[in-house]
Amino acid sequence: MQLLTNRPRGTTDVLPGEVEKLHYIEGVMRRLAHQFGYAEIRTPVFEHTELFSRAVGEATDIVQKEMYTFNDRGDRSITLRAEGTAPVVRAFLEDGLYAQPQPTKVYYICPIFRYERPQAGRLRQHTQFGVEVFGVAGAEADVEVIMLAMELFSRLGLTEWKPGAKVDAKANAAAAEADLVVHINSMGCPTCRATYREKLVAYLEPHADELCETCRERLHRNPMRVLDCKNPDCHPVTSKAPGMLDHLCDDCRAHFQRVRELLARFGVPFVVDTRIVRGLDYYTKTVFEIQSPHLGSQNTVCGGGRYDGLVQMMGGDPVPGVGFGLGIERLVLHLEALGKAVPGAAPVDVFLATMGPAAVDAALPILYQLRHAGYAAETDYLGRSLKSQMKYAGRLGARFVAIIGDDELAKGVVTLKDMASGQQSEVRLDAAELGRALAPRE
RNA sequence: GUGAAAGUAGCUCAGCUGGUUAGAGCGUCGGACUGUGGCUCCGAAGGCCGCGGGUUCGAACCCCGUCUUUCACCCCA
């Protein structure tokens, strides 16, 4: 088939049969968010470009090469939502959420757009479930969002983990091979990070010629990114470099300590991973990624952290924040890798099989009355044989088929067939009577 | 943005070292069973062999370009 055009690169069509999985997953997310005290927020799919370029950081990969940016007809620079947190922070300030009872706890399920090379688990449009907490400086909030993510994975059957189970460091290392693990790190605050940054640059500069090309570029622009370079040539230098964790100020050190204590107390499997740096500039203190061993190269299902300076940077009073984003498409890959079944299409309650025009006339009013009464009812519009209609009803997963032919019309009944048992009975040709016969009897 | 592999019916794939009208299974539709689904059998529809150019008497097959997909890198969800 020669089509006029196909879908743009890195996008997907979610077809009937597949979409039900998303409904199920999103339903779990919404219930969970509600139980944790998070309310939904919806922000526009597009924003002014400077929202992302300023909040995420001019030097980041997202801003430099991954944004869908265009000028609209009013010559404004517009960018499709490249990231979840910045728009929520904008709304928090613009819509005065800070004037409501604090803290503000919100969640969202929305599409994210990034111009990247597609790969398994990486699309140009993907969907994120994200949560944000504003107004809590303490580590309890960092831990709450991590607990929320872990609880979600647990409810979806992606991990054996249950809150409260005892986990020690050795068990964590073993779990990292087979199960979801939270990788955490601390980025410090602007004060201690600046001090650390100087020390790091001072250490790296004499070794610049031992580093790879990208690292030499990053040395001054974003030296912390040099540390997580995967190029083995850089490892001799980076492995001896001073670490951020050794240079945290008292406040940041205590915060990170508290996060680890609470995670341990609640039985969350975690490892301190100094390579978790995150590609967004706004993070402070805690950053984390939850990685799955079942996803191949794109193995981060959930990533987030604390952003205590972002609200002020965007023009508000200083309000601390913490949150995460979680990729739903990767979640689905993970479910499939584990062979986890999720509910499919909802079944049809009754299929009205008609034989001849008189039967169609009799069936249509009943069809709409049954639907009005809340039943999923379907019929044939193609004038097909009874056999074909039976076959079709079987495909739809109909619980019952109501057969209406000349015999039934003469008697004012339908032949009602229970598709699971094959048993048939006669029911009066009347929507209310039929409805009673259809009522689930379990 | 870098490197590698692959694109043949709706889906999964055959198709010999280039040689007439490109095949199978599954799925779809119909029939066997003119009033009864799942099993079985029979039949039909469905392909510019991703697209464009080149080589050749002749291209699904060889060459170049392009688009898309997959894998890895970068980075992320």
Side-chain angles (χ1 to χ4, degrees), chain A residues 83-123:
Chain A
E83 189 267 335
T85 301
V88 173
V89 173
R90 197 219 75 238
F92 174 77
L93 293 171
E94 185 169 352
D95 303 318
L97 298 184
Y98 52 80
Q100 293 183 17
Q102 291 300 298
T104 296
K105 295 169 50 167
V106 292
Y107 79 93
Y108 52 83
I109 296 173
C110 65
I112 302 282
F113 303 86
R114 281 182 212 160
Y115 191 90
E116 295 192 271
R117 188 97 170 240
Q119 202 178 316
R122 191 169 69 193
L123 299 162

Side-chain angles (χ1 to χ4, degrees), chain A residues 12-29:
Chain A
T12 55
D13 297 315
V14 186
L15 304 178
E18 195 69 18
V19 118
E20 290 80 1
K21 291 183 191 173
L22 298 183
H23 285 163
Y24 163 73
I25 292 169
E26 289 171 11
V28 173
M29 288 171 171

Side-chain angles (χ1 to χ4, degrees), chain A residues 32-158:
Chain A
L32 177 69
H34 170 70
Q35 289 160 1
F36 271 68
Y38 293 72
E40 184 174 3
I41 185 168
R42 299 193 187 191
T43 63
V45 152
F46 56 88
E47 296 273 359
H48 291 294
T49 299
E50 58 262 36
L51 174 67
F52 298 110
S53 54
R54 290 292 310 288
V56 175
E58 299 281 358
T60 60
D61 283 0
I62 290 180
V63 172
Q64 288 207 322
K65 53 183 198 188
E66 294 175 1
M67 295 205 300
Y68 271 93
T69 298
F70 59 95
N71 281 4
D72 71 8
R73 288 172 181 274
D75 212 29
R76 288 171 282 256
S77 181
I78 295 295
T79 294
L80 301 186
R81 177 168 41 223
E83 189 267 335
T85 301
V88 173
V89 173
R90 197 219 75 238
F92 174 77
L93 293 171
E94 185 169 352
D95 303 318
L97 298 184
Y98 52 80
Q100 293 183 17
Q102 291 300 298
T104 296
K105 295 169 50 167
V106 292
Y107 79 93
Y108 52 83
I109 296 173
C110 65
I112 302 282
F113 303 86
R114 281 182 212 160
Y115 191 90
E116 295 192 271
R117 188 97 170 240
Q119 202 178 316
R122 191 169 69 193
L123 299 162
R124 288 185 173 180
Q125 174 179 343
H126 75 278
T127 315
Q128 280 191 17
F129 166 63
V131 307
E132 314 288 351
V133 180
F134 295 97
V136 182
E140 289 75 14
D142 311 39
V143 171
E144 180 176 274
V145 299
I146 292 172
M147 290 295 282
L148 195 159
M150 289 304 289
E151 180 66 25
L152 174 67
F153 296 132
S154 175
R155 289 188 191 187
L156 291 173
L158 293 176

Side-chain angles (χ1 to χ4, degrees), chain A residues 375-410:
Chain A
Y375 291 96
E378 183 58 299
T379 191
D380 172 69
Y381 290 142
L382 302 177
R384 288 193 279 204
S385 68
L386 178 62
K387 180 189 173 63
S388 287
Q389 293 185 54
M390 292 299 297
K391 203 169 170 178
Y392 183 60
R395 274 307 176 83
L396 293 179
R399 291 166 51 224
F400 289 92
V401 174
I403 300 167
I404 307 173
D406 292 341
D407 298 348
E408 284 82 2
L409 288 176

